[in-house]
Amino acid sequence: MAVQPPLPPPDFSGLPPWAPQNPIEANRSVLFAPPLMMPDGTWGLTLNLDYSSAIELYGYGPRSMTLDAELGRFQVWLTRRIGERWFAFGQVQIQGAYDGYMDRFINWYHSVLGVHYAARDLRPINKYKYEIAYGNGQVLRYGPVDLGIGDSRVGFGRMLGQHAQVLLVLGLPTSTAPGYRAGTLQTGLIVTGEAPLLPWLTISGSLGLGFTPRTGSLAALENVFFLSFSGGPRVRLSWRNFLYGNIFVQTPPFHDTSLKPMDDVDFTIDFGWMFRIDPRTELWVGIVEDPYPDGPALDVAFRIGLRTAF
């Protein structure tokens, strides 16, 4: 039997990076959905802006949680090639949480899609609230957050051939905003693969394993080990234009709270359009949706980003 030659590397890269933005989840796990991160040149740079709406309103006996906010996040990712197969990377972010101004637009947007969020009927329009009641009259309340530094990521990666990589990720507790910080060092190991199935189609996916120590008032209810999966296609329409889709799934951040946004899995869909400016530079515009509203995935997020190499 003839040996099939190895698949050539695609002439376009994979999917945009996505990391959970809901603080209930992001505070507990450093895992995310990465593309292949080895830069074409010596350096790689990714800029990404996510603006999202969160609406979580659940209660069970003396326990309840409400997260009604608009969340902004601007991330800068920098990657440095340090050998034929090895690279290092770092990510810093600016974040904020507000009353917002998009509730009416989001209600209209979801009505067009035929989606109804009952929690939005029970909350005032554009009014921030983030509160967790966890029994015996104990309540955590977190106020709005002005723009400030969020938690950061650093790590190393190694290419496994042309179509796969493994990342060691450390989450650094650089945020000082109550309710929007991990408060401890986080670790993760993520394997990413990419398959150019056709000249116009590439499938990307990742598997992650993470660990975050227990910390804070809810330590007894926190999970410490996390698993993540991501995967989806990128479809070439022309040399410059692409469509993409990506599913992200992660195990629950908490256990035994009886509150679904804390005890259930994250199931997120990120989809949108990508535009190649030149062989090393591209931008994207996307929407992140929550097809499983009971979990910690956000109601909706709007994204714009750019990545390049030099």
Side-chain angles (χ1 to χ4, degrees):
M1 180 180 294
V3 177
Q4 295 293 325
L7 291 172
D11 72 341
F12 55 91
S13 55
L15 307 174
W18 167 254
Q21 195 175 1
N22 186 335
I24 291 291
E25 182 179 14
N27 292 352
R28 292 303 306 147
S29 172
V30 75
L31 299 178
F32 66 105
L36 297 183
M37 296 179 67
M38 175 69 86
D40 291 337
T42 303
W43 295 91
L45 175 66
T46 298
L47 307 175
N48 187 74
L49 174 65
D50 300 319
Y51 195 84
S52 65
S53 173
I55 179 66
E56 309 284 4
L57 181 60
Y58 278 81
Y60 186 86
R63 294 179 175 178
S64 66
M65 70 123 352
T66 302
L67 174 59
D68 186 354
E70 290 183 16
L71 309 173
R73 176 178 68 183
F74 178 69
Q75 295 178 316
V76 179
W77 301 76
L78 191 64
T79 307
R80 175 66 158 85
R81 179 190 289 265
I82 55 177
E84 182 179 351
R85 295 191 177 277
W86 290 91
F87 57 91
F89 65 92
Q91 173 254 305
V92 296
Q93 62 182 352
I94 298 172
Q95 65 181 8
Y98 326 93
D99 289 331
Y101 57 89
M102 295 180 62
D103 280 1
R104 287 188 175 89
F105 168 76
I106 292 172
N107 287 343
W108 170 83
Y109 164 75
H110 280 137
S111 70
V112 171
L113 299 179
V115 177
H116 180 249
Y117 284 84
R120 290 203 173 273
D121 298 334
L122 303 175
R123 289 285 304 150
I125 294 293
N126 298 328
K127 186 67 174 178
Y128 175 96
K129 186 176 182 180
Y130 183 12
E131 178 180 292
I132 302 172
Y134 56 104
N136 300 322
Q138 297 171 301
V139 181
L140 299 175
R141 294 186 177 92
Y142 303 110
V145 176
D146 290 331
L147 283 178
I149 298 298
D151 288 335
S152 306
R153 291 177 175 88
V154 296
F156 292 93
R158 187 182 191 278
M159 294 300 296
L160 307 174
Q162 295 178 314
H163 302 284
Q165 70 182 15
V166 60
L167 303 179
L168 174 64
V169 189
L170 299 178
L172 306 181
T174 50
S175 172
T176 59
Y180 295 87
R181 60 180 180 177
T184 186
L185 182 70
Q186 301 172 301
T187 57
L189 192 68
I190 307 173
V191 177
T192 302
E194 194 172 89
L197 301 181
L198 297 167
W200 51 269
L201 174 64
T202 295
I203 301 294
S204 301
S206 72
L207 291 172
L209 173 65
F211 170 77
T212 301
R214 294 185 176 94
T215 182
S217 301
L218 301 176
L221 302 170
E222 293 173 343
N223 288 327
V224 296
F225 291 103
F226 304 91
L227 295 173
S228 69
F229 163 82
S230 70
R234 176 168 169 172
V235 179
R236 178 165 59 185
L237 305 178
S238 68
W239 189 85
R240 293 191 184 275
N241 292 279
F242 303 82
L243 298 178
Y244 78 90
N246 195 18
I247 293 173
F248 180 82
V249 181
Q250 183 168 228
T251 52
F254 292 84
H255 62 86
D256 298 324
T257 70
S258 302
L259 303 172
K260 289 181 177 293
M262 302 174 71
D263 287 356
D264 278 8
V265 300
D266 174 357
F267 182 29
T268 293
I269 296 179
D270 174 23
F271 61 94
W273 166 71
M274 305 182 76
F275 180 78
R276 180 159 53 179
I277 298 171
D278 61 44
R280 290 189 174 187
T281 307
E282 59 189 3
L283 60 82
W284 63 86
V285 177
I287 297 175
V288 177
E289 276 286 357
D290 175 13
Y292 179 57
D294 284 341
L298 294 171
D299 179 5
V300 63
F302 302 96
R303 318 188 67 206
I304 184 170
L306 178 143
R307 64 183 171 203
T308 189
F310 50 93

